[in-house]
């Protein structure tokens, strides 16, 4: 009976468009009411400087220094290859811009919305405006915590229990097509139940490009739930570090039914060992596509940061996937430095819904004149373009580490090349 219920629940992956549209209309009405009340009380509703994206014109170091020299001195860069004191202003301005508008650290905090969905976490400046909106907010709290939360916890418990039990049972079967068939449907059923536990509204695009066996699926990373968002629509081999506790129990059960690739903590640091294990997996065209998030950390779904090159060195076909969440009904970003996993899941389960779009992009292969870094950047650009995200060159590891000296040396080399290069060109002429 439990399996029948689980399979029935797993078939419905989204809400109806009518309910989604009603939610959007209600949000607009509530936001307009908030704005009108704030204007009447002369209260500032939005922050003057949010952590959103500030658009900047893409210009090179040489172009900007030329502009500074033209505005502050009669000497042009072409006529004066030597160092000019006014050049300092370029680096001072860049430093101040970085402090005021750091395009790296703001990717690791939740994006603030200029709309209200009855969740106080969307905009911390929303304050008491009217009794009507306060009553609606209170009713929303009752619905989310007293009705939706218990139901979602029950669904999550059901999905995880079925995953552990089902994969353990399937693991005892002899290898063959029947085992693969059962394993695939057990995984899909359980992941879809877990998706329902988050009330996820997912729209999948271009399903004909879904990853195939012997390939690598790479996607931008916003949240741990990215895994179940993708796995509820496809059958993947997971890659990750071996864990203890409940996660360890789940991993050990899953690997019995499916060839997932789990690494010990000591093995993860060995790049060559990881690359060898992944290469052996993708060379067997009968094995499932590997699901990898090359950013290595969660980004707040406004941008895509540097992809680690390891998964692009092994010569397999890469299937890019772009995931874009709509934060109107609930923000899926996991700020791991601020919230633990339990707190994060509680916030997800007490949101109205998790709304997202998934695009399967055409498969990509490494070209003969490309190295692994160039290939990774090409794939990253395709994902950013499709998902409407900002394409950044910065390493997501800067979330916890200092900027490497190589970044500073790169700027020094650009400036030196600009001065010395111009001087050499003029000497030849």
């Amino acid at each position: 009976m439990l399996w029948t219920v689980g399979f029935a629940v797993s078939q419905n992956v989204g809400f109806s468009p009518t309910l989604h549209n009603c939610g959007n209309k209600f949000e607009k009405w509530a936001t307009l009411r908030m704005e009108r009340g704030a204007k009447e009380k002369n209260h500032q509703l939005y922050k003057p400087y949010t952590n959103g994206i500030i658009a900047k014109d893409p210009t090179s170091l040489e172009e900007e220094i030329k502009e500074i020299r033209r505005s502050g001195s009669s000497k042009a860069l072409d006529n004066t290859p030597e160092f000019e004191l006014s050049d300092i202003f370029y680096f001072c301005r860049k430093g101040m811009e970085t402090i005021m508008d750091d395009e790296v650290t703001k990717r690791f905090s939740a994006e603030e919305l200029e709309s209200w969905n009855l969740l106080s976490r969307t905009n911390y400046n929303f304050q008491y405006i009217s009794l009507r909106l306060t009553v609606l907010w209170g009713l929303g709290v009752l619905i989310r915590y007293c009705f939706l939360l218990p139901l979602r916890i029950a669904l999550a418990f059901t999905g995880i229990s079925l995953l552990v039990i089902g994969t353990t049972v399937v693991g005892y079967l002899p290898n063959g097509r029947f085992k693969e068939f059962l394993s695939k449907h057990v995984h899909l059923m359980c992941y879809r139940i877990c998706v329902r536990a988050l009330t996820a509204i997912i729209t999948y695009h271009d399903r004909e490009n879904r990853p195939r066996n012997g390939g690598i699926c790479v996607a931008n990373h916003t949240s741990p739930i990215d895994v179940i968002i993708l796995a509820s629509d496809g059958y993947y081999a997971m890659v990750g570090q071996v864990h203890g506790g409940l996660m360890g129990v789940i991993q050990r059960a899953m690997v019995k039914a499916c060839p997932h690739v789990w690494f010990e903590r000591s093995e993860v640091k060995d790049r060559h060992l990881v690359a060898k294990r992944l290469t052996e997996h993708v060379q067997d065209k009968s094995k499932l596509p590997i699901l990898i998030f090359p950013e290595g950390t969660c980004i707040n779904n406004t941008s895509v940061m540097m992809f680690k090159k390891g998964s692009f060195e092994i010569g397999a076909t890469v299937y890019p996937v772009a995931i874009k969440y709509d934060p109107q009904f609930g923000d899926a970003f996991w700020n791991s430095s601020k919230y633990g996993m339990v707190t994060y899941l509680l916030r997800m389960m007490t949101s109205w819904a998790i709304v997202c779009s998934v695009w399967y992009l055409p498969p990509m292969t490494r070209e003969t004149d490309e190295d692994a870094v160039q290939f990774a950047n090409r794939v990253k650009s395709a994902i950013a373009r499709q998902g409407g995200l900002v394409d950044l060159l910065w390493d997501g590891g800067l979330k916890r580490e200092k900027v490497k000296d190589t970044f500073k040396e790169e700027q020094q080399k650009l400036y030196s090349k600009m001065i010395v290069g111009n001087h050499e060109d003029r000497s030849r002429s």
Side-chain angles (χ1 to χ4, degrees), residues 81-100:
E82 293 82 7
F83 167 75
E84 278 283 313
L85 189 60
S86 60
D87 296 349
I88 295 175
F89 292 112
Y90 166 79
F91 298 102
C92 291
R93 189 184 69 191
K94 282 295 181 182
M96 292 300 294
E97 284 181 354
T98 302
I99 294 172
M100 298 299 295

Side-chain angles (χ1 to χ4, degrees), residues 86-117:
S86 60
D87 296 349
I88 295 175
F89 292 112
Y90 166 79
F91 298 102
C92 291
R93 189 184 69 191
K94 282 295 181 182
M96 292 300 294
E97 284 181 354
T98 302
I99 294 172
M100 298 299 295
D101 182 28
D102 182 1
E103 66 177 8
V104 175
T105 55
K106 69 182 179 182
R107 311 297 171 177
F108 303 117
S109 58
E111 181 183 11
E112 185 171 303
L113 301 181
E114 293 189 354
S115 62
W116 192 46
N117 56 2

Side-chain angles (χ1 to χ4, degrees), residues 256-303:
K256 291 178 182 177
C258 178
H260 299 291
V261 185
W262 305 128
F263 295 97
E264 296 291 343
R265 185 178 296 273
S266 58
E267 295 176 336
V268 173
K269 298 178 181 179
D270 190 342
R271 252 183 74 247
H272 299 290
L273 177 61
V274 173
K276 181 182 177 182
R277 292 272 300 277
L278 295 181
T279 302
E280 290 173 351
H281 184 98
V282 298
Q283 284 178 345
D284 187 348
K285 300 303 178 183
S286 64
K287 289 189 175 180
L288 299 175
I290 296 176
L291 177 59
I292 295 177
F293 300 100
E295 288 170 297
T297 189
C298 294
I299 315 297
N300 70 358
N301 211 226
T302 62
S303 61

Side-chain angles (χ1 to χ4, degrees), residues 280-350:
E280 290 173 351
H281 184 98
V282 298
Q283 284 178 345
D284 187 348
K285 300 303 178 183
S286 64
K287 289 189 175 180
L288 299 175
I290 296 176
L291 177 59
I292 295 177
F293 300 100
E295 288 170 297
T297 189
C298 294
I299 315 297
N300 70 358
N301 211 226
T302 62
S303 61
V304 184
M305 302 189 80
M306 187 181 79
F307 280 4
K308 303 292 190 297
K309 66 178 182 178
S311 53
F312 299 90
E313 291 177 322
I314 59 181
T317 301
V318 172
Y319 295 86
V321 176
I323 306 174
K324 178 63 177 177
Y325 290 92
D326 183 352
Q328 284 184 319
F329 296 91
D331 185 13
F333 169 61
W334 181 34
N335 187 348
S336 57
S337 61
K338 188 175 181 180
Y339 302 109
M341 179 59 75
V342 175
T343 304
Y344 168 75
L345 291 176
L346 180 64
R347 289 170 66 86
M348 291 299 95
M349 290 185 177
T350 54

Side-chain angles (χ1 to χ4, degrees), residues 100-386:
M100 298 299 295
D101 182 28
D102 182 1
E103 66 177 8
V104 175
T105 55
K106 69 182 179 182
R107 311 297 171 177
F108 303 117
S109 58
E111 181 183 11
E112 185 171 303
L113 301 181
E114 293 189 354
S115 62
W116 192 46
N117 56 2
L118 295 183
L119 294 174
S120 57
R121 62 192 74 158
T122 56
N123 189 317
Y124 296 106
N125 278 345
F126 285 139
Q127 300 180 13
Y128 173 79
I129 295 296
S130 69
L131 179 62
R132 185 187 305 175
L133 288 179
T134 302
V135 170
L136 286 175
W137 178 83
L139 288 174
V141 170
L142 290 175
I143 293 172
R144 290 187 289 113
Y145 282 86
C146 299
F147 175 70
L148 293 180
L149 179 59
L151 178 62
R152 289 167 175 172
I153 290 176
L155 283 173
F157 179 78
T158 301
I160 294 172
S161 300
L162 287 176
L163 181 64
V164 173
I165 296 171
T167 52
T168 301
V169 172
V170 171
Y172 287 109
L173 298 176
N175 293 332
R177 290 188 176 181
F178 182 65
K179 180 178 180 179
E180 291 178 5
F181 175 82
L182 278 183
S183 176
K184 177 180 179 180
H185 285 82
V186 166
H187 278 84
L188 286 175
M189 178 189 68
C190 296
Y191 283 127
R192 287 174 179 174
I193 293 174
C194 291
V195 160
R196 300 305 300 156
L198 298 170
T199 316
I201 306 172
I202 313 170
T203 305
Y204 297 98
H205 304 271
D206 305 320
R207 280 179 164 171
E208 66 275 10
N209 295 326
R210 281 187 293 187
R212 302 178 185 275
N213 288 2
I216 296 177
C217 174
V218 299
N220 57 303
H221 198 26
T222 303
S223 159
I225 67 173
D226 293 338
V227 174
I228 63 173
I229 293 293
L230 294 178
S232 63
D233 189 52
Y235 190 31
Y236 299 95
M238 307 296 177
V239 177
Q241 182 176 296
V242 173
H243 292 273
L246 176 61
M247 185 60 69
V249 172
I250 296 173
Q251 285 182 325
R252 288 190 292 273
M254 289 172 62
V255 79
K256 291 178 182 177
C258 178
H260 299 291
V261 185
W262 305 128
F263 295 97
E264 296 291 343
R265 185 178 296 273
S266 58
E267 295 176 336
V268 173
K269 298 178 181 179
D270 190 342
R271 252 183 74 247
H272 299 290
L273 177 61
V274 173
K276 181 182 177 182
R277 292 272 300 277
L278 295 181
T279 302
E280 290 173 351
H281 184 98
V282 298
Q283 284 178 345
D284 187 348
K285 300 303 178 183
S286 64
K287 289 189 175 180
L288 299 175
I290 296 176
L291 177 59
I292 295 177
F293 300 100
E295 288 170 297
T297 189
C298 294
I299 315 297
N300 70 358
N301 211 226
T302 62
S303 61
V304 184
M305 302 189 80
M306 187 181 79
F307 280 4
K308 303 292 190 297
K309 66 178 182 178
S311 53
F312 299 90
E313 291 177 322
I314 59 181
T317 301
V318 172
Y319 295 86
V321 176
I323 306 174
K324 178 63 177 177
Y325 290 92
D326 183 352
Q328 284 184 319
F329 296 91
D331 185 13
F333 169 61
W334 181 34
N335 187 348
S336 57
S337 61
K338 188 175 181 180
Y339 302 109
M341 179 59 75
V342 175
T343 304
Y344 168 75
L345 291 176
L346 180 64
R347 289 170 66 86
M348 291 299 95
M349 290 185 177
T350 54
S351 298
W352 292 110
I354 300 299
V355 183
C356 75
S357 296
V358 176
W359 290 272
Y360 296 106
L361 280 65
M364 301 173 71
T365 55
R366 182 172 165 182
E367 298 177 354
T368 53
D369 58 342
E370 275 186 326
D371 59 24
V373 174
Q374 292 170 330
F375 183 33
N377 288 335
R378 183 160 62 91
V379 173
K380 177 168 68 76
S381 297
I383 291 175
R385 188 165 52 250
Q386 180 63 73

